[in-house]
Amino acid sequence: MLNIPPFLSFVTLYETYLRRCFANAGLSQQTLKLDDETIVQFWGPNPEETARKTPVMLIHGFGPVGLWQWRKQVQCLVPHFDVYVPDLIFFGGSTTRSAERTEVFQAASVAKLADKLNLERFHIVGTSYGGFVAYHVAQMWPERIRKVVIASSGVNMKKGDNEQLLGRAKLENIEDLMLPETAANLRTLMDLAVYKRIAHMVPDFVLNEFINRLYTEKREEKIELLKGLTLGREDPGISALQQDVLLIWGDHDQLFPLRMATELKELLGKKVKLEVMENTAHVPQIEDPLRFNSILKDFLCEEESF
């Protein structure tokens, strides 16, 4: 395998650019101790600023941290909201000594972070695995959450959905797809997650660099997170939410197919909108950020329904 010096690394250079984008938007990387076991790293406004706007929490999906997943949304939302982008437990600088590995524990950690930041009520936006977390936060602490946005997230997944996904991926284990260790498996993930087929154009040494820098850290703990999911153990296993809810879905999502979005809309209650984005797959916030941001900002800026 080709080892690329850090100063020539595309991943290093692009991450430096992402950090600069977040900093230019007025966010800084911070760390808070939630309790004796858990530490969370996050990007947020300067805590010394006194003028506050409505808070928005952006929850990343499985894979790279929020820095890599929410750049365009941060730049769009910062003029209108106080934006917080936490790293979920075992991603980035967030970690715990607790044995808990469920997405419910992730949700509890997000709620504790909000307490530490004195966020009385806030919007929450989650993509993919982050949508699982956002759902649980909204369901368990309805008085704290203003609006909920769930993007590309099969909160309503059933026991057979993972098997069908592995069939599409032609892989045996979900960790081989979500935590790829080879260029071939990362290509498979990209082909399923992105509408435009570009993975075949990327050389192996670049994909291997992504794997080494973005998918290897805390791999065993992340496998435990995949095995610890509570959603999908029962059918359907979810209840309606009290808040206004927006679902955003790519029409070509192959990780959580569009049929799951239409089913989820019926399960989450009467205050749910579904926006389907054409010619996108599992990461519409990256594939078509202008359209995604327009949908997201319009929803968050609307008056809440009661």
Side-chain angles (χ1 to χ4, degrees):
M1 185 181 296
L2 180 62
N3 290 318
I4 300 175
F7 63 89
L8 293 178
S9 164
F10 169 79
V11 175
T12 299
L13 293 173
Y14 191 65
E15 185 169 287
T16 300
Y17 166 72
L18 293 174
R19 288 177 176 275
R20 187 174 297 129
C21 288
F22 272 47
N24 288 343
L27 305 188
S28 62
Q29 193 172 47
Q30 305 165 47
T31 302
L32 278 177
K33 184 177 181 181
L34 301 187
D35 51 41
D36 291 338
E37 294 183 315
T38 305
I39 294 172
V40 167
Q41 192 171 74
F42 66 98
W43 289 84
N46 186 335
E48 297 180 0
E49 292 180 1
T50 55
R52 311 309 296 176
K53 294 169 281 192
T54 301
V56 177
M57 194 87 74
L58 302 178
I59 311 297
H60 65 80
F62 224 86
V65 295
L67 183 74
W68 286 78
Q69 299 189 30
W70 292 120
R71 173 175 69 90
K72 289 286 189 177
Q73 288 66 52
V74 164
Q75 293 170 319
C76 169
L77 295 176
V78 156
H80 312 282
F81 302 94
D82 283 342
V83 179
Y84 296 87
V85 187
D87 293 340
L88 294 174
I89 305 302
F90 297 128
F91 294 84
S94 299
T95 190
T96 188
R97 293 197 302 271
S98 169
E100 289 284 342
R101 296 293 185 268
T102 68
E103 78 280 10
V104 178
F105 177 72
Q106 299 275 20
S109 298
V110 169
K112 285 183 180 180
L113 175 63
D115 286 339
K116 292 284 186 180
L117 295 169
N118 296 315
L119 307 183
E120 293 184 5
R121 296 188 72 220
F122 57 98
H123 302 306
I124 192 162
V125 181
T127 181
S128 196
Y129 179 77
F132 300 169
V133 177
Y135 163 79
H136 283 297
V137 174
Q139 195 269 331
M140 292 189 291
W141 295 278
E143 72 284 355
R144 302 288 302 279
I145 303 302
R146 291 176 178 269
K147 292 183 178 181
V148 183
V149 181
I150 295 174
S152 314
S153 182
V155 176
N156 54 323
M157 66 179 182
K158 302 179 180 66
K159 294 178 181 179
D161 287 324
N162 265 357
E163 286 76 10
Q164 293 177 26
L165 172 57
L166 289 173
R168 292 192 292 274
K170 298 180 174 60
L171 293 171
E172 294 185 5
N173 301 304
I174 194 66
E175 60 264 29
D176 293 334
L177 178 65
M178 303 309 298
L179 295 166
E181 291 186 291
T182 67
N185 285 359
L186 182 52
R187 277 198 185 87
T188 298
L189 176 60
M190 291 173 66
D191 283 341
L192 292 173
V194 181
Y195 172 61
K196 293 181 179 179
R197 296 299 181 93
I198 59 172
H200 68 280
M201 301 168 59
V202 184
D204 281 6
F205 77 88
V206 174
L207 295 178
N208 285 326
E209 184 192 357
F210 272 95
I211 291 168
N212 291 335
R213 297 297 303 276
L214 301 177
Y215 287 97
T216 58
E217 188 177 17
K218 303 188 185 90
R219 188 173 193 274
E220 291 305 314
E221 290 88 346
K222 290 174 183 174
I223 291 174
E224 293 171 359
L225 293 177
L226 290 172
K227 294 179 178 178
L229 281 170
T230 65
L231 294 174
R233 292 181 184 176
E234 299 178 7
D235 300 338
I238 64 169
S239 55
L241 294 178
Q242 299 179 23
Q243 302 89 346
D244 292 339
V245 180
L246 172 65
L247 305 177
I248 308 178
W249 229 271
D251 62 345
H252 288 83
D253 193 337
Q254 295 190 70
L255 273 73
F256 295 122
L258 184 56
R259 63 166 177 79
M260 298 182 74
T262 56
E263 293 171 2
L264 183 59
K265 182 177 184 295
E266 300 305 314
L267 292 170
L268 288 182
K270 297 181 179 179
K271 295 161 54 174
V272 184
K273 296 180 181 179
L274 171 60
E275 291 278 357
V276 178
M277 292 183 55
E278 294 183 354
N279 300 323
T280 65
H282 189 64
V283 285
Q285 77 274 19
I286 297 173
E287 297 173 89
D288 189 354
L290 289 179
R291 175 66 177 146
F292 186 97
N293 290 351
S294 175
I295 294 169
L296 176 62
K297 186 164 73 73
D298 286 351
F299 173 73
L300 293 180
C301 290
E302 287 175 355
E303 291 293 327
E304 295 175 59
S305 62
F306 296 95

